[in-house]
Structure formats: structure tokens, C-alpha cells
Amino acid sequence: MHTFYRLFLICPWLLPLLSFGQLPAPKPIFPTPLSPRIANYQIKVSLNPVTKRLTGQQTLTWHNTSNDVIRELQFHLYLNAFKDRNSTFMRESGGQLRGDYIDSDDKDAWGWTNLKSMKVKGGEALVWQFIQPDDLNTDDRTVIRVPLSTPLGPGQSITLDMAFDAKLPKIFARTGFSRDFFLVGQWFPKIGVYEPAGTRYARQGQWNCHQFHAHSEFYADYGVYDVDITTPKEFWVEATGLMQGEVMHKNGTKTLRYHAEDVVDFAWTASPRFQEATSQWKHVKITVLLQPEHADQAERHIDAAKAALAYFDKHLGKYPFPNLTIVDPPVHAMGAAGMEYPTFITAGTVWQIPKGIRMPETVTVHEFGHQYFMQLLASNEFEEAWLDEGFNQYYEGRIMDETYGPKTSAADLFGYRIGDLENSRDGYVHLDNPAIGPSFGNTWQLPDTYYGVLTYSKTATWLRTLEGLLGRKIMDEIMQTYFQRWQFKHPNANSFIAIVNEIAPARTGFRYGNDMNWFFDQVLYGDNVCDYKLVSVASKKQGKQYTSTVRIDRLGDARMPVDVLLHFADGKELMLFWDGKGRTKTFTVTEPAELIRAEADPKQKLYIDTNFNNNSLTRQPTSAPAAKYAAKVLFWIQNWLHWLAWLA
């Protein structure tokens, strides 16, 4: 290690004496704040790429916007999830995430955060203790409580100065290092969310500050971040927000200043190997940091980002930030692929991936979507991951299918084709037990190994079902209302359902009742399985008329309204409706022509139906008996593609 660099790590106060120039003061991004700006950070951090350690100081200004007297604060120390085998994260995950494993015998693979000091600015030093609010695992060190000797009254603020060290883990779960690539997320002591009574599910004021679990992500308040990042001068650095300036130091390092407003988190990356590609979409500058071997895929990432920006702008709401950074991790750091932070996402690809396998596009679209549900809506991903991941998966399907074709958006290679949204549906309906559990619930308490399907795939599928029942126009009105009403706040399930019940009944002429609670009771809170089957089709001539009968059965326990379309020999079609509540329904109609075919749910409104193959019957034999064998082959291909999609 360079002697001057060693000296800097020991004595960071020497840095101004070794610098060329000064860093500029941050420039405001938004003339009027977009959010309450409750938690605001000023951080100085240096990276030692040899030891994989961070040295940091931060000043946090936190505002008590509640009417409560605050007697303690709570903080996340996320990197302690990687401290040893005994953390809750490691116990739950078994040391793996999305197929990537930590080498627990490699001492360099572990990570931690050491909070060295905390004091009230200009005042007393504070003490803290580790707590385990979720599972009482005393070996878990990811949450602390900090008692305040002087309580914080309503409307008051507190400013804290903190010093900390951190060791980055070897990447297997979102954050850390791999060789000379660094993805630095969940890295600083981060205050939890204080929820006054009436916020989400809080009946009285409470801290919402969960331990770091294997199957959950994050929940935070909005704020302003000013972050100075010091690395070796040959490293390319990008981060949340906008770079304000850069200063080179005589010791071979440099410091970059970043400023971000109205965001819930801050992450950054550093590597000497990045190649940059840039583009512009309206007010948004798009920056892609690519591995050299992936440089030819720059346009794939950019085009996907532009498609997502345009689609969300039209169908949901405006992306207000002036920038978007897309990081392409190396293959040896794929544990950092497919991750989202404000204005900053990681994608995921491999060398020479065919254009017919749209993994780069899918991951880019998906991770950008989190800018809405994770960032602009600040959903609680610990407790209601479906509000983020599931909603995002639904929009991923819409964007991919519209941009790349509804039957080819996930893959179109060697004659095998599958759309993104149908790929999500396959993930749910091909479960060994689709009734394994609901989408709703604390994320870490969902049935073991089913988190992804219940949170992502099932939610996307029942949202598509809601769209099918209501129509795209009404669905867009619901989602736009939800976004406008709840952005820069903290919605929950009730927030969304209330808007559905406000809009859907009146717009549909109360076709499905006075509210849609019956729907959510089954698909969100329940584990009901939907399966309607066309059992029989018959037609008998009686004089000049034909009396035709069609029987449909409800095989699952989900009760959904279903259309039945009849096709007659003279070309006439007749649409019938059943409320779907009984176990069976027989329709009898009299027409001048013979009934030749019937279809249950012909427009596939009930996208959550687990078996489309039993939804139609014809009175004439099919001319393609080999189709069922082709379907089996396609099923295995789809499952392979579904596995690839988990990178997102």
C-alpha cells in the first residue's frame, strides 16, 4: 500500500493538505423539496481496496415529524449480517442468495460494521445496545437502540456525529467486493423509520427497524445525502445522486462529492475496469458502466432503460430525477446483479448472450421499476415486499411484452418463444403446491423457499388478473391514483385496496359488487387456487333449432367471475357470464345453428387460473395430437428461462 495512502487512513484530517483544489458546495437539485426529508446525511468515506475496508464519518440530522416524544433512536448496521454464521441473515439463508454462496472458510469473505462513536453534535456521547426485535437471536448485530437522555419533542430535530469502520464482504448477496469490483450498499449506520400512530399498521408510535433477513430488503425515510467518497485515483466511481466535483490528492487517491435529494438510500460502486456509455432520455441522463467484455451490449441496456422510462412516464407517473446509473457487474460478482438503489441500479448479463435471450433487458427494466415502488413510494420491503417486488414484476411484464412482443419478450431463440408476463405466471402455476401460502405477510416469515414466487410471480399474476377483470384503462387509473396519492409516503396494502374500491365498482357499473375485497381476500391474504374447467359441450337438433348445453366446473377454491364464449356453426358467437361461486354451472341455449366449441375465460382475464389447457372444448377432434408433447418440451424451456429471470 502506498505510504501516503496508509497515512491518510490513519490521519484523514491530513487530506486537505494533500489535495489539489477544493470540492464545491452541493448544488440543489429540486427548488422545492419533493419529500419530508426526515433523515439527512453528510458522510465522508474512504475505501481501502487492499483490505476491503471503509473508514467513515457521518453527520445525521433527523427530524421528529410526529406528535410523539421520542426517547430513543434505532439504527440498522446491515453489514453485520455478514459477520459470522450466527447472524439471522446467515441462519436463514444458509450463506447463499440467488444461487451464489459465501465461502465461510475464507476469512476475507466476511463483513461487518463497527460503530466507533456517536454523540449529539456539540453535546454528550451516546451509548447503544444491540437488539433483536424479530427473532431474539442474541448473536444478531444488525439493529441497535440508542436511548436519549434528553427526549426529542414533536417538531424537534437532533444532529448526531458518528464514526464507523466497515469491512465489506465478498459479494454473494448484493453488496461487497469481488477482485477489484466494489458494490457498496447497506454500508453506513442507517436510522430506522419512526411510524406515528396511523402510519401503515401502527396503532401507537413505534420504531420500524427490522433485522437484516435473508428474504427481505429495506425500508427508510426520505432525506438529502451529501457524500464524499475517497478511492485510489484509477478507480471509476459512480453513486446515487449527482457528482458535484472531484479532487485529486498527492497520495494517489481522489475524492468525489455526490449530492442526492429526496431519496431513501445511498449506494456506490468503484472499479478500475468500467467502460462508460451514456445517452439521454428527455430530462434524464443515462449512464451505463459496463465490463469491457460486455461493451457491445451498451445499447441493449440503454434501449431497455428508455423503454421503461417512457412506459412509466405514460402509464404511472413522472420519474423526477435527472439521472439514472446502470452498473454491469462482472460475472464473478453476479451476487451484486439485479439490485436497486435510488437513481442507481445494477443489471446483469454474460458475454455474447444472444439477443433472443433478453436477460440484460429484463433486469434493466425490472430494476428501474424499483425507482417507483421502492424509491418514490417507499414501500416497506421487510413487511410487504409484494408492494414493491410484485408490483414491479407486473410492470416488468407489461413493459417487456409491449416492447419486445407478448410471446417473445423473455426469449425468442431457436423457435422457442415466451413472453415475460407468461413467464411470471408459469412460475406460480407450476408450483408443486400453488396453495402454499399468501403473498401477504412479513417477508422473512413466508413459506420457506417460496418467497420469490409468492412475492414476485404470484403478485404479478393476480395483478394481471385484476387488470383482466377491470380492463387496462381502469387499472391504469387505479395505479396512477395510487402513485400520485402515496408518492414520498409509506403506503401499505390498505392504501392500495382503498383506491381499488374507490374506483373499480363505479367504473364497472358495480359488476363485481360494492367493493373488491372478495378478490384480495383470495389472492393477497388467502391461498385460494383458481381453476375452471370446461367439462362438456353438447348440441342436439330439435326441429329447426339446436338445443346446446355447456357445463363448466370450479375445481379450485378461488371464486372468480368467468366468461364462457360459445362458437356456433353459422359463425355466431355468444358470450355468457357466470359469477363462478358454485361448484358447477350448466348453460342451455337454443340457436338455429349447431354449437361446435366453447371456451371458458376466452380473453384469459383470469390469468391466475392454474390450468389454461382445460378451458376449452370442441365437438370436433383436434388435428394436432402432438401439441401436448410440444407443450411438455416448452414447459422445461420455460422453467430454465424462469431460473435465468431470478437474476432480476
Side-chain angles (χ1 to χ4, degrees):
M1 190 189 306
H2 197 287
T3 302
F4 284 112
Y5 189 57
R6 259 200 318 266
L7 183 63
F8 160 64
L9 292 178
I10 299 171
C11 305
W13 52 269
L14 288 174
L15 186 62
L17 304 179
L18 303 174
S19 302
F20 296 99
Q22 295 290 326
L23 286 166
K27 296 179 181 178
I29 298 173
F30 301 114
T32 302
L34 304 179
S35 73
R37 298 187 176 181
I38 293 173
N40 305 283
Y41 296 83
Q42 293 178 313
I43 307 176
K44 297 181 185 295
V45 61
S46 62
L47 167 67
N48 184 328
V50 178
T51 64
K52 321 300 183 187
R53 294 193 179 189
L54 305 175
T55 301
Q57 295 120 9
Q58 71 178 32
T59 298
L60 165 68
T61 300
W62 186 80
H63 303 297
N64 178 14
T65 57
S66 76
N67 293 320
D68 302 334
V69 175
I70 306 299
R71 303 183 185 279
E72 74 173 40
L73 307 175
Q74 293 187 10
F75 286 81
H76 298 282
L77 300 179
Y78 287 119
L79 289 182
N80 282 341
F82 312 112
K83 187 178 180 67
D84 54 39
R85 297 181 180 89
N86 298 318
S87 73
T88 292
F89 185 101
M90 295 299 292
R91 289 183 181 184
E92 292 176 348
S93 69
Q96 68 87 28
L97 188 70
R98 299 185 296 191
D100 208 356
Y101 288 81
I102 188 172
D103 182 358
S104 59
D105 295 326
D106 179 2
K107 293 182 179 180
D108 199 36
W110 299 99
W112 42 259
T113 296
N114 174 33
L115 181 56
K116 297 165 63 177
S117 65
M118 180 187 300
K119 67 176 184 178
V120 178
K121 194 170 191 66
E124 64 178 328
L126 299 177
V127 297
W128 57 88
Q129 65 184 97
F130 292 102
I131 59 173
Q132 300 80 27
D134 300 331
D135 64 1
L136 304 181
N137 171 17
T138 56
D139 291 319
D140 191 78
R141 298 289 189 270
T142 57
V143 177
I144 59 171
R145 64 180 292 268
V146 185
L148 298 177
S149 58
T150 303
L152 195 64
Q156 292 185 331
S157 300
I158 189 170
T159 299
L160 304 174
D161 288 327
M162 295 175 247
F164 66 95
D165 294 330
K167 161 66 173 61
L168 294 172
K170 190 170 183 179
I171 289 174
F172 80 99
R174 307 181 181 92
T175 186
F177 74 92
S178 183
R179 301 177 193 172
D180 58 359
F181 171 82
F182 294 85
L183 196 288
V184 188
Q186 298 83 249
W187 56 283
F188 59 95
K190 186 177 181 183
I191 197 164
V193 177
Y194 186 79
E195 296 183 328
T199 302
R200 299 181 62 255
Y201 303 105
R203 296 183 179 180
Q204 59 185 16
Q206 63 184 26
W207 280 100
N208 195 301
C209 194
H210 290 291
Q211 296 161 241
F212 196 4
H213 294 273
H215 293 311
S216 68
E217 289 186 341
F218 314 108
Y219 178 45
D221 273 322
Y222 292 98
V224 175
Y225 287 75
D226 288 300
V227 183
D228 292 355
I229 302 169
T230 300
T231 70
K233 65 180 181 181
E234 65 269 18
F235 276 58
W236 191 297
V237 177
E238 286 287 354
T240 293
L242 297 176
M243 190 180 78
Q244 304 293 300
E246 178 182 55
V247 170
M248 305 300 293
H249 308 302
K250 295 178 181 179
N251 65 348
T253 68
K254 64 181 178 181
T255 299
L256 300 93
R257 174 164 290 175
Y258 280 85
H259 177 72
E261 297 176 358
D262 305 303
V263 297
V264 295
D265 205 353
F266 188 98
W268 53 284
T269 189
S271 172
R273 299 185 73 246
F274 285 133
Q275 291 189 9
E276 182 189 52
T278 62
S279 190
Q280 191 77 23
W281 180 86
K282 293 186 176 180
H283 65 287
V284 182
K285 179 184 178 182
I286 302 169
T287 300
V288 186
L289 298 184
L290 292 147
Q291 300 302 308
E293 63 271 21
H294 302 158
D296 61 337
Q297 298 182 39
E299 289 304 315
R300 295 180 65 173
H301 290 81
I302 289 171
D303 290 347
K306 289 182 177 179
L309 279 159
Y311 197 92
F312 276 109
D313 185 74
K314 178 179 179 181
H315 293 282
L316 192 59
K318 182 181 179 180
Y319 176 76
F321 302 103
N323 65 306
L324 173 67
T325 298
I326 305 169
V327 180
D328 167 39
V331 172
H332 56 79
M334 286 301 277
M339 191 54 199
E340 70 279 359
Y341 299 95
T343 76
F344 177 100
I345 63 176
T346 65
T349 190
V350 294
W351 177 71
Q352 291 294 304
I353 188 170
K355 289 187 177 181
I357 299 295
R358 295 195 173 90
M359 186 168 68
E361 293 84 357
T362 301
V363 182
T364 300
V365 168
H366 183 93
E367 301 311 328
F368 173 76
H370 284 297
Q371 299 302 312
Y372 284 78
F373 304 107
M374 172 276 298
Q375 157 59 27
L376 293 174
L377 289 165
S379 306
N380 187 330
E381 299 175 74
F382 288 104
E383 298 177 7
E384 295 180 290
W386 63 275
L387 271 176
D388 173 47
E389 298 290 1
F391 278 40
N392 197 29
Q393 190 79 2
Y394 165 69
Y395 273 97
E396 173 198 311
R398 285 181 53 165
I399 295 167
M400 291 294 294
D401 287 0
E402 180 168 303
T403 305
Y404 303 102
K407 296 296 182 182
T408 57
S409 59
D412 183 8
L413 189 68
F414 304 135
Y416 293 106
R417 299 178 175 89
I418 186 170
D420 188 281
L421 199 54
E422 64 178 315
N423 196 34
S424 290
R425 176 183 173 272
D426 282 353
Y428 164 66
V429 304
H430 287 139
L431 281 176
D432 53 354
N433 179 14
I436 190 65
S439 302
F440 185 84
N442 289 335
T443 307
W444 67 92
Q445 294 174 329
L446 294 177
D448 191 33
T449 74
Y450 290 91
Y451 151 74
V453 174
L454 294 176
T455 300
Y456 293 68
S457 302
K458 181 181 179 181
T459 305
T461 303
W462 64 250
L463 281 168
R464 169 60 177 78
T465 301
L466 183 63
E467 176 196 318
L469 293 172
L470 303 180
R472 173 65 66 84
K473 183 178 180 181
I474 296 174
M475 189 68 177
D476 279 352
E477 182 183 357
I478 288 169
M479 296 305 299
Q480 289 162 7
T481 303
Y482 173 66
F483 176 72
Q484 292 298 328
R485 191 172 296 177
W486 285 98
Q487 62 178 319
F488 299 108
K489 300 176 184 176
H490 297 304
N492 65 357
N494 297 334
S495 312
F496 177 68
I497 293 171
I499 290 170
V500 174
N501 288 337
E502 173 188 326
I503 294 173
R507 298 292 188 273
T508 59
F510 299 91
R511 178 181 177 87
Y512 305 120
N514 292 325
D515 59 54
M516 297 293 290
N517 291 341
W518 58 268
F519 178 81
F520 294 104
D521 287 343
Q522 298 181 87
V523 301
L524 174 60
Y525 300 113
D527 54 16
N528 304 53
V529 174
C530 179
D531 185 11
Y532 285 95
K533 179 180 180 180
L534 243 302
V535 176
S536 64
V537 175
S539 192
K540 183 177 180 181
K541 190 172 185 179
Q542 294 178 327
K544 294 183 179 180
Q545 299 282 80
Y546 286 86
T547 299
S548 302
T549 59
V550 175
R551 176 183 161 190
I552 179 174
D553 286 359
R554 177 170 61 83
L555 303 185
D557 55 355
R559 301 181 178 190
M560 298 280 172
V562 59
D563 297 323
V564 179
L565 180 62
L566 309 185
H567 300 266
F568 296 92
D570 62 358
K572 180 180 179 179
E573 294 181 343
L574 181 63
M575 186 75 80
L576 306 174
F577 177 80
W578 179 35
D579 63 15
K581 295 179 180 179
R583 275 294 175 187
T584 186
K585 173 71 173 179
T586 299
F587 294 97
T588 301
V589 298
T590 301
E591 292 287 333
E594 181 181 15
L595 177 65
I596 58 172
R597 185 161 57 94
E599 296 177 78
D601 189 27
K603 296 182 179 180
Q604 294 185 345
K605 295 179 180 179
L606 305 182
Y607 210 61
I608 202 167
D609 190 315
T610 57
N611 187 1
F612 285 160
N613 293 329
N614 63 11
N615 284 16
S616 63
L617 276 178
T618 182
R619 298 183 64 242
Q620 299 173 356
T622 178
S623 60
K628 64 179 182 180
Y629 300 107
K632 290 182 179 180
V633 174
L634 184 58
F635 168 76
W636 291 110
I637 296 294
Q638 289 170 348
N639 275 268
W640 177 70
L641 292 171
H642 184 70
W643 176 82
L644 287 178
W646 279 116
L647 289 174

